[in-house]
Amino acid sequence: MSVDIPSDTTSDTTSDTPSPTSSRASREAAAPPTSRPSTWAALRPLLLRLHFYAGVLIAPLLFVAAVTGLLYALSFQAENVLYRHELRVPVGDATQPLTAQVAAAKAAHPEGHVTAVWPSPEEGATTRVLMKAPGLAEDESLAVFVDPYTNDVRGALASTGSSGALPLRSWLSSFHADLKLGELGRNYSELAASWLWVVALGGLALWVGRRRRARLLRPERGLTGRRRTLSWHGSVGLWAVVGLVLLSATGLTWSRYAGENIADLKDRLGGATPTVAAATAGGMGGGHEHHEGMVMPPAAPSTLTLDQVAETAREQGVRAGIQISLPSAGKGFVVRERDTEFPVHLDAVAIDPADGKVMDVLRFSDYPVLAQLTRFGIDAHMGVFLGLPNQLALAVLAVALMALIVWGYRMWWQRRPTKGRALGVGRPQPRGAWRKVPLPVLLPLAAVTALVGWFVPLLGISLLAFLVIDALLGLRGRKKVVAAS
């Protein structure tokens, strides 16, 4: 949930614009002089103030992330339409040998060096021959699309990443990640991901803490004004909170600063993602390696054909949407499955280019549990885990987040002073809420906040900046009061 929940604690039987001062005074008058507030009653004002400021100041970044994320989620289906000529072909009687398909791609693009082949994964789909070619970025390959039935080259496009993103999706992915501003732009997405889970979980606590469980899951009927907006904001946020937290967590895994801490923690917990050992007898290493091999020059020509390599992989159970990586010096062929839809098929096998023997087999079931969960989370964030349902879920979450932000700002506007219809916006929860939190709760809360702020640096830095600015504004206000008196 993204922006504001009202700072007063009056019931829904009050008017839309109650006076916080009079409400607070009446409650204090009604309470026994010796009564102590509960822990939740003490924490709620602090959480309200944090939720308010985080929503107002971070919501624009979250809105941008939601809009660009929505465009990215829709890009999968747009890609199928825009690049249909390259991706689809009429089904023929029989497929041609992979070696012949690669030869056709090389003849069409002699400037490229073949690095990998994606054989046609299904009837009517083209084969992709991936090449390194002049003019491409370091993380890009030239994907040459070959008709597997006729060896006709259907076209060539730049391809990015393990999912084979074509220009449209690749551009939108980069736009979502950094707004096409490079390393500087990555700070925007990391800051948004760093705060999203805080705002979402804070809003969940505030909404559930209202203790109106019969009306939590759906907006109430018959409400008007701010209470109606709040009802929609809270109910939709409750449905979306799990997805928003997961998006935040998975987005942080490949962020710049928090991502390094997450990767280090994952390694310490034994959750590093293994890779199949592809070093030949003259190469380096052995066993499942926990790092990618260094860039090496091409190997000597192999006597094996790609069809023989694919057949050996099939014998090892590696057959679902495979990618065949050609050997480099000291390395063998590596055949990996690319099927990320559940149940996933991500096994891999390394094959010696000299004699065709299997050097290593890595099953996805052998991954550490943490590595499996990381893979599921990242693939779900990228929209490739469950295919179309995954992409639709991302789109729905993006729309929900945009709606939550709009409702939050609307509540802020609806709480503005209404006497004489003066322009303005609602005030945040008053300062000093932390003083009411019991010390046994405040100290652990401060320690956890400091730890999280260190682990997620942009969250910690921005939170510290909020506190400093808020303190300066409070000091300025007190000076004005003293001067006026």
Side-chain angles (χ1 to χ4, degrees):
M1 286 154 271
S2 46
V3 182
D4 175 49
I5 292 183
S7 59
D8 60 87
T9 55
T10 53
S11 68
D12 284 344
T13 59
T14 61
S15 65
D16 285 345
T17 57
S19 168
T21 304
S22 61
S23 298
R24 190 161 51 251
S26 62
R27 289 196 305 274
E28 291 174 354
T34 57
S35 65
R36 289 179 175 271
S38 65
T39 300
W40 169 246
L43 282 175
R44 185 174 185 272
L46 183 63
L47 192 57
L48 276 167
R49 190 166 178 82
L50 175 66
H51 192 67
F52 175 84
Y53 272 119
V56 169
L57 300 175
I58 301 298
L61 299 181
L62 293 175
F63 194 87
V64 171
V67 172
T68 56
L70 174 62
L71 294 175
Y72 172 77
L74 300 177
S75 69
F76 288 85
Q77 302 309 313
E79 198 174 65
N80 291 333
V81 174
L82 185 61
Y83 305 120
R84 182 172 180 80
H85 177 76
E86 288 82 4
L87 296 172
R88 308 299 301 180
V89 293
V91 178
D93 296 331
T95 58
Q96 301 296 314
L98 283 175
T99 303
Q101 296 179 48
V102 172
K106 291 172 66 175
H109 294 273
E111 76 282 5
H113 166 66
V114 179
T115 58
V117 180
W118 293 13
S120 172
E122 61 186 8
E123 289 187 346
T126 54
T127 292
R128 294 194 196 189
V129 179
L130 302 182
M131 299 180 175
K132 284 297 180 184
L136 296 177
E138 184 178 354
D139 61 342
E140 288 183 330
S141 296
L142 180 67
V144 182
F145 298 86
V146 181
D147 187 330
Y149 306 103
T150 64
N151 290 340
D152 291 339
V153 174
R154 304 278 292 183
L157 297 167
S159 174
T160 308
S162 60
S163 67
L166 299 178
L168 174 64
R169 181 155 58 97
S170 178
W171 193 93
L172 289 174
S173 176
S174 176
F175 187 53
H176 175 63
D178 59 19
L179 300 181
K180 307 300 290 184
L181 297 175
E183 289 299 318
L184 178 64
R186 291 183 64 184
N187 293 328
Y188 121 81
S189 58
E190 183 168 354
L191 192 59
S194 298
W195 276 97
L196 178 57
W197 66 274
V198 176
V199 178
L201 292 180
L204 174 66
L206 291 168
W207 184 243
V208 174
R210 290 168 62 84
R211 303 184 187 283
R212 296 163 58 251
R213 303 185 186 281
R215 306 175 190 176
L216 289 177
L217 297 177
R218 58 183 177 83
E220 296 182 59
R221 297 180 179 178
L223 299 180
T224 59
R226 179 180 56 78
R227 287 185 296 163
R228 182 176 184 273
T229 308
L230 172 61
S231 182
W232 277 95
H233 181 86
S235 298
V236 173
L238 184 63
W239 284 101
V241 65
V242 173
L244 295 179
V245 171
L246 289 177
L247 283 179
S248 175
T250 52
L252 286 174
T253 56
W254 65 74
S255 63
R256 182 178 182 183
Y257 301 108
E260 293 179 359
N261 291 333
I262 293 172
D264 183 63
L265 178 62
K266 190 174 70 168
D267 289 348
R268 291 175 181 273
L269 295 175
T273 301
T275 58
V276 66
T280 58
M284 299 176 295
H288 297 322
E289 301 174 33
H290 294 272
H291 57 275
E292 295 293 337
M294 64 179 65
V295 178
M296 305 185 74
S302 172
T303 58
L304 295 178
T305 66
L306 290 175
D307 300 276
Q308 290 173 320
V309 172
E311 180 59 32
T312 301
R314 281 193 290 269
E315 292 172 356
Q316 298 297 320
V318 180
R319 58 174 65 94
I322 63 172
Q323 168 184 307
I324 305 174
S325 296
L326 273 62
S328 57
K331 299 286 184 176
F333 287 96
V334 175
V335 185
R336 297 184 177 90
E337 292 180 316
R338 299 183 299 102
D339 183 10
T340 56
E341 296 190 22
F342 191 83
V344 300
H345 298 92
L346 296 173
D347 297 348
V349 59
I351 300 171
D352 194 319
D355 53 20
K357 291 182 179 180
V358 174
M359 298 188 296
D360 189 28
V361 178
L362 176 62
R363 306 294 180 190
F364 184 68
S365 58
D366 294 333
Y367 280 35
V369 173
L370 189 56
Q372 291 184 359
L373 293 176
T374 300
R375 181 64 192 252
F376 290 150
I378 290 177
D379 285 348
H381 192 115
M382 295 176 62
V384 298
F385 178 40
L386 298 174
L388 181 59
N390 190 169
Q391 296 147 25
L392 291 176
L394 289 177
V396 169
L397 278 175
V399 172
L401 180 56
M402 287 187 283
L404 290 170
I405 293 170
V406 171
W407 285 324
Y409 277 117
R410 178 169 173 76
M411 282 190 291
W412 189 27
W413 170 254
Q414 288 173 323
R415 287 177 51 229
R416 72 194 188 280
T418 56
K419 187 176 181 180
R421 307 308 298 173
L423 294 177
V425 291
R427 295 180 179 179
Q429 183 73 17
R431 293 183 179 87
W434 63 272
R435 298 189 185 95
K436 300 179 181 179
V437 180
L439 195 61
V441 177
L442 182 61
L443 291 179
L445 181 63
V448 171
T449 301
L451 180 62
V452 172
W454 170 83
F455 192 78
V456 187
L458 290 191
L459 173 63
I461 293 171
S462 55
L463 177 59
L464 183 61
F466 291 169
L467 294 175
V468 170
I469 293 172
D470 194 47
L472 292 175
L473 291 175
L475 181 61
R476 178 186 177 188
R478 285 194 294 272
K479 287 182 177 181
K480 286 184 176 180
V481 171
V482 172
S485 60

